[in-house]
Amino acid sequence: MTDSLDLGEPPQPAMAQPYRVLARKYRPQTFAELIGQDAMVTTLANAIRRGRLAHAFLLTGVRGVGKTSTARLIAKALNCIGPDGEGGPTIDPCGVCEPCRAIAEGRHIDVIEMDAASHTGVDDVREIIDASRYSAVSARYKIYIVDEVHMLSKNAFNALLKTLEEPPEHVKFLFATTEVNKVPVTVLSRCQRFDLRRIPTDKLGAHFAWVAEQEGIEAEPEALALIARAAEGSARDGLSILDQAIAHAGMEGGGVSAEAVRQMLGLSDRGAMRELMGLVLAADAPGALAALRRQYDYGVDPQSVLRALLETVHGVTLVKLGTPPDPAQPAEERSGYEEWASKLSFPALHRLWQLLLKGHDEVARASLPIEAAEMALLRVIHASSLPDPGELARRVTSGEGPSSTAPAPGPSSMSTSTSAPAVAPLPEAPAGPPTDFAGVIALLDGDGQIALAEKLKISARLIRYDPPDIVLSAAKPLPADLVADLAAGLQRATGQRWKVTTDDAAGAPSVREAEAKEKADTLDWVKSTTVVKAALDAFPDAEVTAWETNRRS
């Protein structure tokens, strides 16, 4: 009888590894991989090198900038023992020793992570306090990482205060939060605070390009720029969008294209937005409405169109101020902004911003968004053909009639290419200072400084107006900083320095006081007329609340 052969266990099929999303797969494992937070890394490196480690750290910032990742990196940096087991705290943890690997895998017994959103009560904090009295089991420090710490209750914060102020030598607290304003001041004062900044768009784009290369995915630079811009400074948000774009590219076949990202996110074509802005500035109402409808038919939300126009006005204003160019901005877009900046005045840009912002808010609340967007564009186009209020005030005070106002321009024959189109410039600010104080108020109102103009109407009692000198009455209290705000506002609107002072003299009535006195005088006159006087005598309880009169002063 032959011996049976033991062939062992039959071969088992390899277990498929579950897919890890890019945001988890490319979580920073060293401080060198943490992008956009150089100042914080430098501070931590110096503290570790000099042995000046705080007992509690508070990491704050918007979502996806690396708060939890940084907390884990700090835990690794403090507990790393090096490949030979003899190392100390370092800003460059080795990643191969047992503490580094255990912390990275989330299984280290002395590094305790707690989600404050689901452990909000005082009992949860009491467990931390009781456990903190005992030394670390195998690590150099026992570290508590509390995510979304602002979610703790008031009693939980109070229970933590004493331990947080004087913890045992072997304990470190690492707090992370997106809403630092909700953390009590008593807790903030006991922590070393690090504000993690939004990651710049160009660094996000470079990071996404590296990730795409690691994944073996071809991606257009413009597509990565769109994703970086949509991420709004958050690496996690951007990687999630990139993950979605790669999946979309897999369905369509090929790499990640800008057009696919634009359709996926419902973004407007920036070239189309420059074309639309040119049509608006050229007062081409039919062309502007047709361009808006084209974007709407492509699936772009009307509110997104208004937002893109607001971004365009903001970009032109920054160019006019001479700010350094954005590295992520296409050269064609920069060229278009420079052309518009050379033709539009600051008052015109401020007015465009206010009109578009009002339209954006209206579209957000409207039951008919596309119709509301069309009406908002028509209002901007109509306003672009009107003279500046300061110019109107100058004409009125100089005796010019309304007939001198230039008629509204008709539709232009502007090219529909995506390059910066020719612009019909909005009226410039008046060349000289206003001839009277009423013109000053009108100038500020037209420059977008509506709040300041309203304060002047209510409180300013003029003693002397001799441009560029203005003397206001201080006989009655003036709003705080009104004098300084008026000088700064006039300098911005006219481009020259103004001297605004006060005096104890009474001064002329304010605009509101003059209007109230005129209204009271008119009411007295109305009551004194024969018909009204007879009616009031017949009905003693009657009041005159409104009237129409052709009375001439």
Side-chain angles (χ1 to χ4, degrees):
M1 181 176 179
T2 60
D3 294 334
S4 61
L5 295 176
D6 184 6
L7 300 179
E9 291 290 332
Q12 299 293 326
M15 294 291 293
Q17 292 294 327
Y19 176 70
R20 297 180 68 196
V21 295
L22 297 181
R24 291 188 60 195
K25 185 176 181 180
Y26 293 97
R27 184 187 290 270
Q29 298 300 318
T30 65
F31 282 103
E33 297 176 7
L34 191 66
I35 58 175
Q37 311 299 341
D38 297 339
M40 182 201 66
V41 173
T42 300
T43 303
L44 282 174
N46 293 336
I48 292 174
R49 190 177 300 112
R50 298 173 183 175
R52 304 179 64 88
L53 290 170
H55 59 270
F57 298 88
L58 178 70
L59 306 170
T60 178
V62 299
R63 79 265 176 237
V65 293
K67 297 183 297 299
T68 306
S69 296
T70 300
R72 292 174 181 172
L73 290 176
I74 294 175
K76 290 169 64 175
L78 298 183
N79 284 329
C80 178
I81 59 175
D84 57 358
E86 302 295 332
T90 173
I91 195 64
D92 297 313
C94 65
V96 297
C97 65
E98 176 58 23
C100 284
R101 288 188 289 109
I103 293 172
E105 296 169 6
R107 57 179 176 82
H108 200 293
I109 192 172
D110 291 319
V111 178
I112 301 96
E113 292 194 33
M114 186 183 88
D115 176 21
S118 56
H119 299 80
T120 62
V122 66
D123 292 336
D124 300 304
V125 171
R126 190 175 289 118
E127 291 181 8
I128 294 178
I129 297 172
D130 293 340
S132 66
R133 300 171 185 171
Y134 302 102
S135 298
V137 176
S138 61
R140 186 179 295 111
Y141 293 104
K142 178 178 285 189
I143 296 177
Y144 291 94
I145 300 175
V146 183
D147 203 6
E148 301 300 337
V149 70
H150 66 274
M151 300 291 287
L152 290 178
S153 65
K154 181 179 179 181
N155 290 337
F157 273 124
N158 291 335
L160 186 62
L161 287 180
K162 187 61 179 176
T163 303
L164 186 60
E165 183 173 14
E166 298 177 359
E169 294 295 329
H170 59 271
V171 173
K172 301 291 182 185
F173 289 99
L174 302 176
F175 299 141
T177 178
T178 53
E179 301 184 46
V180 70
N181 58 301
K182 293 184 178 180
V183 179
V185 177
T186 49
V187 173
L188 293 176
S189 64
R190 290 166 166 83
C191 300
Q192 190 171 98
R193 174 174 169 176
F194 290 101
D195 289 85
L196 277 67
R197 308 300 182 187
R198 290 181 185 271
I199 305 172
T201 304
D202 57 330
K203 290 188 176 182
L204 278 179
H207 180 61
F208 297 157
W210 176 80
V211 170
E213 181 181 351
Q214 297 298 311
E215 293 292 307
I217 301 295
E218 294 184 2
E220 295 180 0
E222 185 181 354
L224 297 176
L226 288 172
I227 294 174
R229 192 177 292 114
E232 296 182 342
S234 170
R236 183 174 63 235
D237 287 8
L239 287 174
S240 298
I241 297 173
L242 180 59
D243 226 338
Q244 183 181 356
I246 292 174
H248 182 78
M251 296 294 294
E252 298 294 329
V256 178
S257 65
E259 183 61 28
V261 171
R262 193 175 289 115
Q263 291 180 359
M264 184 183 74
L265 298 178
L267 299 176
S268 56
D269 185 351
R270 298 184 74 83
M273 285 302 100
R274 293 197 298 276
E275 175 191 349
L276 177 57
M277 177 61 79
L279 292 168
V280 169
L281 294 176
D284 185 354
L289 294 187
L292 175 63
R293 280 286 177 175
R294 281 197 299 272
Q295 292 297 303
Y296 183 69
D297 293 339
Y298 290 150
V300 180
D301 181 58
Q303 191 176 3
S304 298
V305 175
L306 271 296
R307 178 175 179 175
L309 292 176
L310 281 167
E311 291 175 349
T312 301
V313 173
H314 179 255
V316 174
T317 306
L318 292 182
V319 171
K320 192 171 183 67
L321 285 171
T323 57
D326 183 356
Q329 187 179 45
E332 183 181 16
E333 184 174 292
R334 178 77 181 184
S335 175
Y337 285 2
E338 289 174 349
E339 181 176 348
W340 281 330
S342 66
K343 297 180 179 180
L344 295 173
S345 65
F346 280 116
L349 289 169
H350 292 317
R351 182 164 50 161
L352 274 172
W353 175 266
Q354 292 294 331
L355 291 169
L356 289 171
L357 186 61
K358 179 177 175 62
H360 179 274
D361 294 341
E362 289 176 351
V363 172
R365 300 190 305 267
S367 57
L368 301 172
I370 183 61
E371 287 80 0
E374 289 178 339
M375 296 303 295
L377 286 186
L378 290 175
R379 182 168 60 228
V380 176
I381 291 171
H382 175 68
S384 70
S385 64
L386 296 177
D388 186 271
E391 175 67 13
L392 284 177
R394 186 191 67 78
R395 292 178 179 179
V396 171
T397 54
S398 62
E400 298 180 26
S403 60
S404 61
T405 303
S412 68
S413 56
M414 186 182 59
S415 169
T416 58
S417 66
T418 57
S419 59
V423 177
L426 297 178
E428 296 283 344
T435 57
D436 59 10
F437 196 61
V440 168
I441 296 177
L443 174 63
L444 294 173
D445 189 74
D447 190 46
Q449 305 182 58
I450 302 173
L452 177 58
E454 195 63 24
K455 284 184 181 180
L456 293 177
K457 291 178 184 179
I458 296 173
S459 306
R461 298 170 183 86
L462 184 67
I463 295 178
R464 181 168 60 86
Y465 178 72
D466 184 16
D469 293 342
I470 298 177
V471 181
L472 300 178
S473 172
K476 295 183 180 179
L478 291 171
D481 299 329
L482 177 63
V483 172
D485 290 346
L486 177 57
L490 284 173
Q491 182 175 354
R492 190 182 86 174
T494 63
Q496 63 179 7
R497 293 184 176 274
W498 288 68
K499 180 180 179 182
V500 182
T501 56
T502 60
D503 193 273
D504 292 335
S510 68
V511 173
R512 290 287 183 263
E513 290 172 341
E515 291 175 351
K517 185 177 185 307
E518 182 181 2
K519 182 178 180 180
D521 291 344
T522 303
L523 178 59
D524 291 340
W525 176 81
V526 169
K527 289 181 178 180
S528 67
T529 58
T530 304
V531 175
V532 176
K533 189 173 184 302
L536 293 176
D537 290 341
F539 303 96
D541 294 333
E543 294 183 1
V544 179
T545 58
W547 60 86
E548 292 184 6
T549 175
N550 292 326
R551 177 192 181 197
R552 298 178 182 275
S553 56

